[in-house]
Amino acid sequence: MSTAEPLKHITVLLHEAVDTLNIRTDGIYVDGTFGRGGHSRLILSKLGVQGRLVVFDKDPQAIAVANELAAQDKRVQVVHDGFASFQTALNELGIGEIDGALFDLGISSPQIDEAERGFSFRFDAPLDMRMDTTRGVSAAEWIATADEQQLHEVIKNYGEERFSRQIARAIVSQRETAPIDTTRKLAQLVAQNVRTRERGQDPATRTFQAVRIFINRELEEVKAVLPQVTGRLKAGGRLAVIAFHSLEDRIVKQFIKQHSQHPPLPRWAVVKEADLPQPPLKQIGKAVKPSAEETAANPRARSAVLRVAERTQGRFEVEA
């Protein structure tokens, strides 16, 4: 496929994710990552006239699509912000408990395929990488000012790049003579400093992932929203999260595991299972991955992992 033919946006694990929410026709649901509205539209098709759907997104283009949907369907309310603002946004909308929430993490196909967004090394474009282009620091601005140690740590921790130190050193050296302000400049610099290439992967893949995650505070937002959602879910309400790389999925997996088990007790404690407080979450099934048919039709789905948890009657405190 040529770079002039962007991939059409295809919603990943569409029916699997929405079905697992067990939609109530009069329920209140949240789509924390609207994108182009694939999951939202399917949720709406299962809601009755009394149902409500709150959608979040940072991306102005996604918000434009969401606002069009809201103009057609009064059950939809739109929040132009990252989902870390979950509690504040719901408070402002006058919403207390909810019946379910779905998060499709990471970057969408339209963002990757629009060269001017600066997410992809397949195009030569300004090095931006912000999901919300109306606020925040661009990738080029951060790369121009970050010190070598911070560059190394971000590329290593968020990209799991073995050559992070060499890349960081090269960035600092290069920017002394010319700015690294386009995707091509960064990709070429990285390629010169990655000594071995993973089969089928561009040498810039990990560095671009790392910078994007850092610029958009993606992992911090996931860590922030999980307890906020858990505190808002009604008993029996569901949390569904689709992650696309191991760093996100690890956060989700560990959160669900931590809050669906009893806390460890000292060996000397003599306590019956029935006397222990009920954990606030119950894990629902095993992790779900796309079928062979879905990954064949949409290669970008191959790394997706869906995890689901259900709210119990157990006590859960959300830090202020």
Side-chain angles (χ1 to χ4, degrees):
M1 177 178 291
S2 71
T3 57
E5 298 175 340
L7 288 174
K8 179 183 177 182
H9 180 65
I10 303 173
T11 305
V12 175
L13 290 169
L14 174 60
H15 292 279
E16 293 89 340
V18 174
D19 287 348
T20 198
L21 291 176
N22 287 345
I23 302 291
R24 291 178 47 189
T25 57
D26 62 346
I28 301 174
Y29 293 87
V30 173
D31 184 347
T33 44
F34 179 79
R36 292 302 181 267
H39 288 119
S40 285
R41 289 184 177 87
L42 186 55
I43 291 171
L44 287 169
S45 73
K46 297 175 181 291
L47 286 176
V49 293
Q50 298 301 318
R52 295 174 70 182
L53 176 65
V54 181
V55 303
F56 286 73
D57 212 295
K58 293 180 179 180
D59 192 318
Q61 295 179 18
I63 289 298
V65 178
N67 283 333
E68 289 179 3
L69 181 62
Q72 300 166 6
D73 193 326
K74 300 307 179 185
R75 298 173 298 174
V76 180
Q77 293 176 287
V78 181
V79 179
H80 181 190
D81 206 345
F83 50 69
S85 67
F86 187 90
Q87 289 230 74
T88 301
L90 263 58
N91 287 341
E92 292 176 352
L93 292 171
I95 295 173
E97 291 184 320
I98 63 172
D99 295 276
L102 169 62
F103 297 88
D104 183 357
L105 305 178
I107 191 170
S108 68
S109 294
Q111 290 171 327
I112 296 172
D113 292 327
E114 291 166 4
E116 65 272 14
R117 301 299 298 273
F119 286 109
S120 177
F121 44 76
R122 294 189 293 120
F123 314 106
D124 188 22
L127 190 60
D128 193 313
M129 293 197 189
R130 290 173 296 168
M131 291 183 180
D132 185 349
T133 53
T134 68
R135 66 190 86 172
V137 175
S138 70
E141 292 170 326
W142 176 70
I143 283 175
T145 58
D147 62 37
E148 183 177 325
Q149 182 62 22
Q150 186 185 25
L151 289 163
H152 156 63
E153 290 176 355
V154 166
I155 296 169
K156 177 184 178 182
N157 295 334
Y158 293 160
E160 300 177 300
E161 172 58 72
R162 289 176 294 162
F163 302 102
S164 56
R165 194 168 294 282
Q166 294 93 319
I167 294 168
R169 189 178 303 122
I171 288 173
V172 172
S173 176
Q174 173 65 29
R175 73 188 187 194
E176 291 179 358
T177 57
I180 304 169
D181 53 8
T182 69
T183 53
R184 179 167 295 170
K185 288 179 182 178
L186 179 59
Q188 290 177 341
L189 182 147
V190 172
Q192 293 166 3
N193 289 275
V194 173
R195 293 194 297 271
T196 61
R197 304 187 184 198
E198 295 173 76
R199 188 173 182 180
Q201 186 179 92
D202 189 284
T205 298
R206 292 178 177 274
T207 297
F208 270 64
Q209 171 186 291
V211 175
R212 188 204 83 218
I213 290 173
F214 175 79
I215 290 295
N216 294 289
R217 302 186 70 252
E218 294 177 38
L219 301 187
E220 289 83 357
E221 287 215 331
V222 175
K223 291 176 183 177
V225 79
L226 294 176
Q228 292 182 48
V229 175
T230 303
R232 292 276 185 165
L233 282 172
K234 295 177 182 177
R238 295 278 181 92
L239 165 66
V241 185
I242 302 171
F244 284 83
H245 61 71
S246 60
L247 298 176
E248 292 172 335
D249 184 52
R250 190 177 304 138
I251 293 170
V252 177
K253 179 181 179 180
Q254 290 177 349
F255 180 86
I256 292 175
K257 181 179 180 180
Q258 176 186 351
H259 295 287
S260 60
Q261 297 178 344
H262 295 297
L265 296 171
R267 291 184 178 181
W268 47 262
V270 181
V271 181
K272 295 180 180 179
E273 182 78 16
D275 294 332
L276 292 171
Q278 186 179 22
L281 292 177
K282 177 175 69 174
Q283 181 174 316
I284 302 298
K286 297 181 178 180
V288 177
K289 297 184 178 181
S291 65
E293 291 78 13
E294 180 170 4
T295 55
N298 180 17
R300 287 178 179 167
R302 64 185 179 275
S303 59
V305 179
L306 168 65
R307 296 187 188 275
V308 183
E310 182 176 289
R311 186 72 166 92
T312 70
Q313 297 281 4
R315 185 177 176 82
F316 184 83
E317 295 290 341
V318 182
E319 295 182 5

